[in-house]
Amino acid sequence: MSESVLEKHASYTWLPKEGSMRFEGQDVIIFWIETAMKSFVDTIEEVSGNAAANVVMETAGFRMGNIVSDFFKQDCINNVITSFPDIYAAAGWCDLEVVDFSEEKKTAVIRVRNSWEYKVNKVQGKQKMSTFLPGHFAGTLTGLFGQNTGFSVVKSQLEGDEYDEIHYYPSDGHPVRDIHHFTRIKEQEEISRLEKMVEERTETLTTLVKEISSPLIPVLDGIVVMPLIGKYDETRADDLLNKTLKSLPEYQANFLILDVTGLDDDLDAYSISLLQSLTHSSELLGTKSAIVGISPHLSMKLIEAKVDMKGLNCFSTLKHAIHFALAQEGKQIIG
């Protein structure tokens, strides 16, 4: 091939009246690196976060590189590689040097100085280079080699080296696949974060429910009231029983009044067992028990369950139960 790729394509056409510019036969635009391009990259990072933005930029560079390889696919690979320094310099992208290249091994070593990406990263105050350009050349070489190409950054101008040095080699990885994998990982991380938040909130609410559910209320010296509310499962019943047995001695309770007005009408085995356990266990601690608020429906449920109510004092209202408890101690409310 007598003509080089650069001789065939490297030309500018500027048509200010039409508001257009062409480079290498394609429409192009001009961006101010330290203002417009910086703002562009900053916005991507602000919207998606630095980690996601880096994956996005690398993937975008890789795809763009694939387009470049399609543009040169009719030419000899060696000619294309040889023309790269002039093409990218003419486009204002960077000072590029292909240090090593092997079509057979499908490897390359590229050095880049003063790229637009380096200039943007420097203005951003970054300590580590981003990977749009390394990804771009990986995409270009992937198209030229017909083999997916990965890379590793060996030197970085941003980190004080004289140039960026990137080594390219055959790879099973692929940025386009990786970005979908990255997205799935981020989605899973977000799901895990939300699950943890729900778990923490649930634990907080459970603790709060335990604290406010069926509180032991001292109404008079030696008399405490325990309102039973809602439906009880095994865990809730065990928690309430343990809390009650621990609290009765602390209150020096002689009489425990169980108010069942708020119990779920659909009385189950846990609630019935809880009633029996509370009355029997309190008696072992020397505390007498009484039940108030038994509805006709609840009384039928207790009979069907064959709950032994013998010797258990039952009252229609809390007032009657309190008067009864006082009377057991020879006391009464006057007035």
Side-chain angles (χ1 to χ4, degrees):
M1 183 177 292
S2 58
E3 286 186 295
S4 69
V5 176
L6 181 61
E7 289 172 334
K8 290 196 298 181
H9 298 292
S11 61
Y12 289 100
T13 304
W14 184 30
L15 303 172
K17 291 185 179 180
E18 297 181 9
S20 68
M21 177 182 289
R22 296 174 70 83
F23 175 65
E24 298 192 7
Q26 299 290 324
D27 285 323
V28 297
I29 59 174
I30 294 176
F31 273 99
W32 284 267
I33 292 174
E34 296 181 359
T35 54
M37 281 301 296
K38 176 183 179 297
S39 177
F40 175 76
V41 175
D42 283 345
T43 302
I44 293 176
E45 292 177 350
E46 287 171 9
V47 171
S48 59
N50 289 337
N54 201 47
V55 175
V56 169
M57 293 294 285
E58 181 180 329
T59 305
F62 186 91
R63 285 176 166 171
M64 189 181 296
N66 268 168
I67 294 172
V68 170
S69 68
D70 287 341
F71 182 68
F72 294 126
K73 62 184 178 182
Q74 300 300 323
D75 298 295
C76 171
I77 292 180
N78 284 324
N79 284 347
V80 175
I81 295 298
T82 301
S83 71
F84 272 6
D86 292 330
I87 292 174
Y88 283 96
W93 276 44
C94 59
D95 174 13
L96 183 149
E97 178 185 2
V98 181
V99 179
D100 186 48
F101 172 77
S102 172
E103 184 177 359
E104 181 182 356
K105 296 179 181 178
K106 303 186 186 307
T107 59
V109 176
I110 294 177
R111 289 177 182 171
V112 177
R113 295 176 180 84
N114 302 323
S115 70
W116 66 260
E117 188 170 29
Y118 160 72
K119 293 173 184 176
V120 169
N121 288 164
K122 187 175 180 181
V123 175
Q124 288 178 309
K126 288 186 175 180
Q127 301 300 314
K128 187 176 181 180
M129 66 180 288
S130 52
T131 53
F132 177 90
L133 280 177
H136 171 78
F137 295 126
T140 305
L141 292 172
T142 293
L144 294 175
F145 287 147
Q147 158 73 48
N148 191 63
T149 304
F151 67 88
S152 60
V153 178
V154 176
K155 293 184 179 181
S156 169
Q157 195 173 359
L158 199 64
E159 297 176 26
D161 293 314
E162 183 182 350
Y163 43 75
D164 299 332
E165 182 169 302
I166 309 130
H167 292 197
Y168 292 92
Y169 44 79
S171 171
D172 293 330
H174 194 292
V176 178
R177 290 196 303 268
D178 291 346
I179 195 171
H180 295 306
H181 177 63
F182 177 84
T183 302
R184 288 193 295 272
I185 290 175
K186 299 306 289 184
E187 287 175 350
Q188 188 56 52
E189 288 177 353
E190 181 64 13
I191 290 172
S192 298
R193 186 186 71 81
L194 292 174
E195 286 177 345
K196 184 178 180 181
M197 183 183 297
V198 169
E199 184 178 339
E200 290 174 351
R201 292 289 177 86
T202 301
E203 184 176 346
T204 300
L205 289 173
T206 300
T207 302
L208 181 61
V209 168
K210 287 180 181 179
E211 291 175 353
I212 66 175
S213 176
S214 303
L216 202 60
I217 305 170
V219 291
L220 291 169
D221 288 344
I223 302 174
V224 294
V225 176
M226 171 73 75
L228 302 180
I229 303 169
K231 196 176 186 68
Y232 288 84
D233 57 15
E234 182 177 5
T235 300
R236 191 178 175 212
D238 287 344
D239 287 339
L240 178 59
L241 181 60
N242 291 331
K243 182 175 72 173
T244 303
L245 296 180
K246 180 181 178 181
S247 300
L248 286 177
E250 294 177 2
Y251 286 114
Q252 298 181 346
N254 298 322
F255 220 95
L256 171 64
I257 301 174
L258 300 172
D259 187 347
V260 299
T261 307
L263 272 184
D264 196 310
D265 286 341
D266 186 18
L267 197 66
D268 58 16
Y270 290 120
S271 299
I272 294 171
S273 175
L274 176 62
L275 279 174
Q276 293 176 312
S277 297
L278 283 171
T279 56
H280 294 161
S281 298
S282 61
E283 286 179 4
L284 293 175
L285 295 176
T287 303
K288 298 177 183 178
S289 301
I291 296 180
V292 301
I294 297 180
S295 65
H297 177 75
L298 181 56
S299 65
M300 293 298 297
K301 285 284 186 179
L302 292 172
I303 292 171
E304 290 174 5
K306 297 181 180 180
V307 176
D308 183 11
M309 306 291 287
K310 188 176 182 181
L312 190 62
N313 299 295
C314 299
F315 301 91
S316 59
T317 66
L318 181 59
K319 178 181 178 180
H320 291 155
I322 293 175
H323 278 289
F324 176 80
L326 287 171
Q328 298 303 299
E329 298 184 354
K331 302 176 182 178
Q332 61 179 341
I333 298 176
I334 301 174

